Amino acid sequence: MDHPRDEQLSLEIEDADIRPYYWINQSNELINARQDLSINERRIVYALVSLVQPDDKDFKMYSLPIKELANLIGVSEKSFYERVEKAVDGLQSKMFVIETYDSTKGQVIVNKINWIQQATYLKGEGIVRIKLSDALADYLVNLKTYTKYQLFNVLQFKSEYSWRIYELLKERQPWGKRIIKVNELRRLLNIADDKLTLMKNFRNVVLDKAKNEINAKTDIHFEYDVHKRKGRKIESFIFYIHRNESNIDKYLTEEAVDYDVKTLLNRLIANGVKRKKAEEFISKYHPRYIEENILYVMRSTGDSIANLAGYIVKAVENNYAESIYEANKKEQSLYSIVQKDYSNRLNIKAKEDVKALEAINSYYMTVIQKEKPSSLELVREIGKEREKVLFKKLNDIQLERQNMNYPPLTLDDIEESPIKPFFEQWQKMNELPY
């Protein structure tokens, strides 16, 4: 029988390097779930969420220096070790609640899911290792639809109400408005029935404070008004959501743009779009415009379309998603500069990788020429060995590129190379679209 620690020992551990321009991607079901997190607990868990990509398949355990985590969540007192540990420990007992209705059985299903599965403290090293709950994966990875925002927008909030309202409005930003019933808003904000019972207090403490924080600090701003009354009682509010141009460039640095370009290029190429076309899109369109059109394709086709790459190209070129995103001059200029620089780096890397593969092929060609095998069977054996070594090298190259956050080597990179047939065979074996 396997030792119960075997799974823990084999768990992949990754050093977390969290940056404020990282994106939080989460399903709309999670945004609309009932949550109960303090502001520090929310900062920690969503800093970890920013490390997860919507195309990921599973979770890793992340290793973070406690001092860096304290800085990230704004804890600077001498007792930051104790405060961070208290916040992480609190997360292990906190749950979010998602209710669904099974129409076939006529019953309500209530899912209560923990945020954190495991936390390990390396005493004396000042390190904490945290793993998000596996059950959370349904709402963070392999997503067809999701809402996204950059981490810097929310880490600066002082009120958890501001954070939650920001998320609820970001979900509906493409439509420019959201109507929410008061009782539903209270549920989503986890406000107890005996708290903030007077509407005046509710508006002052929750809505107006959130409006001030969100409008001053984030990439959106909003106004709200009464939507419907029942007698004198307010039944629902309507929120009008706008892009906050004054804060759009807040983290528009070359480092942040480089991260966006890499992530988006990887996604396009992984779905079979030719690299030159992907580069053209990035130099021409806003990244959110491209991503929304990719999402449109994924939502409408899933795995049912034969030419996924072709559909993505058409969607982007014709804006099937009806995306409202357009880059301003500063954004487009910076994205174009970074894209060109990144493309040059990719070209250099592609040449290096192809050269390494061709060297393997040349070696075995030389072996055949020098040794002059006496039978066809010996030639086949050498050919099988060459194939095996080339396939291993291709696996190593793609893994290295993944670790460098580079897109995979594709058929476009080796179009004129003698290793093309081997690449095509390796590609079929791995059922890859590129």
Side-chain angles (χ1 to χ4, degrees):
M1 179 182 292
D2 291 338
H3 194 284
R5 290 186 61 201
D6 287 351
E7 184 179 349
Q8 179 179 339
L9 291 172
S10 63
L11 189 65
E12 185 177 352
I13 299 173
E14 181 176 292
D15 290 334
D17 182 19
I18 300 168
R19 302 299 176 92
Y21 52 78
Y22 283 3
W23 292 91
I24 292 168
N25 305 282
Q26 59 181 318
S27 71
N28 296 336
E29 290 86 353
L30 180 55
I31 285 177
N32 290 281
R34 191 164 76 244
Q35 303 178 12
D36 178 22
L37 296 176
S38 71
I39 193 67
N40 277 343
E41 290 168 347
R42 188 170 293 282
R43 286 167 178 162
I44 290 172
V45 79
Y46 277 93
L48 296 172
V49 168
S50 76
L51 298 169
V52 180
Q53 298 300 317
D55 294 331
D56 285 350
K57 301 303 179 187
D58 51 28
F59 290 154
K60 304 177 181 71
M61 174 171 271
Y62 296 109
S63 181
L64 306 97
I66 291 178
K67 188 172 184 179
E68 288 185 16
L69 190 56
N71 290 335
L72 189 72
I73 67 174
V75 175
S76 56
E77 294 87 347
K78 291 181 180 179
S79 60
F80 66 84
Y81 280 97
E82 291 79 7
R83 291 194 59 185
V84 168
E85 187 168 344
K86 181 180 178 181
V88 173
D89 290 350
L91 275 169
Q92 290 188 279
S93 63
K94 292 289 181 73
M95 297 179 291
F96 62 93
V97 181
I98 292 183
E99 296 183 10
T100 56
Y101 181 72
D102 187 337
S103 57
T104 59
K105 296 182 179 180
Q107 67 178 171
V108 175
I109 300 172
V110 180
N111 289 305
K112 296 184 177 182
I113 300 169
N114 289 95
W115 292 95
I116 296 294
Q117 181 168 310
Q118 180 182 339
T120 302
Y121 299 93
L122 305 185
K123 297 293 186 179
E125 294 183 40
I127 299 290
V128 59
R129 292 174 177 168
I130 306 175
K131 185 177 186 296
L132 295 169
S133 170
D134 286 335
L136 188 56
D138 288 342
Y139 309 98
L140 297 179
V141 302
N142 199 23
L143 300 177
K144 299 299 183 187
T145 61
Y146 52 91
T147 296
K148 69 183 296 169
Y149 55 83
Q150 283 177 292
L151 190 59
F152 76 83
N153 285 296
V154 290
L155 284 183
Q156 52 196 332
F157 285 142
K158 299 187 184 306
S159 164
E160 56 265 34
Y161 298 147
S162 298
W163 192 317
R164 291 292 286 131
I165 289 173
Y166 172 82
E167 289 182 321
L168 293 166
L169 298 184
K170 283 295 287 186
E171 182 196 351
R172 300 294 175 88
Q173 186 182 359
W175 293 272
K177 64 182 179 180
R178 177 162 192 163
I179 297 168
I180 312 179
K181 291 183 177 180
V182 173
N183 59 355
E184 175 67 3
L185 184 56
R186 291 177 65 93
R187 183 188 73 83
L188 291 171
L189 300 180
N190 201 48
I191 299 174
D193 291 341
D194 60 347
K195 290 187 177 180
L196 300 173
T197 54
L198 293 176
M199 180 52 68
K200 180 181 178 181
N201 292 342
F202 179 78
R203 294 180 74 158
N204 287 340
V205 174
V206 178
L207 299 183
D208 292 338
K209 186 173 182 180
K211 180 182 174 182
N212 290 336
E213 275 208 288
I214 290 171
N215 290 0
K217 299 175 179 179
T218 77
D219 59 349
I220 63 171
H221 68 88
F222 76 91
E223 300 87 36
Y224 75 95
D225 204 348
V226 175
H227 174 253
K228 187 183 286 188
R229 291 180 182 268
K230 199 169 185 178
R232 297 182 62 185
K233 185 178 180 181
I234 298 174
E235 191 174 70
S236 59
F237 289 103
I238 183 168
F239 297 81
Y240 299 98
I241 312 154
H242 312 281
R243 177 175 154 110
N244 193 345
E245 296 293 344
S246 61
N247 285 334
I248 292 298
D249 295 343
K250 199 168 189 178
Y251 279 85
L252 192 67
T253 63
E254 190 168 331
E255 183 182 2
V257 170
D258 186 65
Y259 173 79
D260 281 351
V261 166
K262 283 182 178 179
T263 302
L264 196 51
L265 262 178
N266 288 0
R267 191 164 190 204
L268 287 165
I269 293 171
N271 283 301
V273 177
K274 291 184 180 295
R275 180 155 65 89
K276 287 184 179 178
K277 178 60 71 173
E279 291 168 351
E280 175 191 323
F281 284 166
I282 288 173
S283 65
K284 186 175 181 181
Y285 301 111
H286 191 286
R288 289 291 285 129
Y289 169 98
I290 299 170
E291 185 169 31
E292 286 188 358
N293 279 284
I294 295 174
L295 279 173
Y296 173 89
V297 172
M298 297 305 181
R299 282 197 298 265
S300 58
T301 65
D303 300 322
S304 62
I305 187 168
N307 186 9
L308 180 63
Y311 195 6
I312 289 173
V313 169
K314 286 185 178 179
V316 173
E317 290 179 339
N318 296 287
N319 195 16
Y320 287 175
E322 298 181 352
S323 175
I324 61 172
Y325 283 93
E326 291 184 10
N328 61 36
K329 288 183 179 180
K330 181 179 178 182
E331 285 179 310
Q332 199 59 66
S333 174
L334 190 50
Y335 277 109
S336 183
I337 291 169
V338 170
Q339 177 268 314
K340 287 176 182 176
D341 176 65
Y342 187 48
S343 295
N344 288 335
R345 282 183 276 154
L346 288 182
N347 285 329
I348 292 170
K349 177 62 177 164
K351 287 177 182 177
E352 290 175 354
D353 292 338
V354 171
K355 186 177 180 181
L357 291 165
E358 288 178 343
I360 293 171
N361 185 54
S362 295
Y363 168 79
Y364 283 97
M365 292 297 292
T366 302
V367 168
I368 292 172
Q369 290 170 1
K370 284 185 176 181
E371 296 188 4
K372 294 182 174 57
S374 57
S375 68
L376 185 60
E377 186 178 344
L378 286 174
V379 173
R380 285 174 179 164
E381 284 183 9
I382 294 172
K384 285 181 180 178
E385 184 180 339
R386 171 178 59 179
E387 185 179 280
K388 181 180 178 181
V389 174
L390 279 170
F391 287 176
K392 182 182 183 304
K393 184 62 177 178
L394 276 166
N395 289 333
D396 291 343
I397 285 171
Q398 303 299 49
L399 180 60
E400 180 190 24
R401 283 171 162 263
Q402 183 180 333
N403 292 335
M404 294 172 69
N405 201 19
Y406 274 18
L409 191 70
T410 71
L411 202 56
D412 293 340
D413 297 315
I414 57 173
E415 194 63 42
E416 305 299 325
S417 172
I419 64 165
K420 180 180 177 181
F422 298 101
F423 185 89
E424 289 176 324
Q425 188 178 348
W426 174 83
Q427 190 179 39
K428 286 179 183 177
M429 286 173 56
N430 291 278
E431 298 181 345
L432 299 173
Y434 45 81

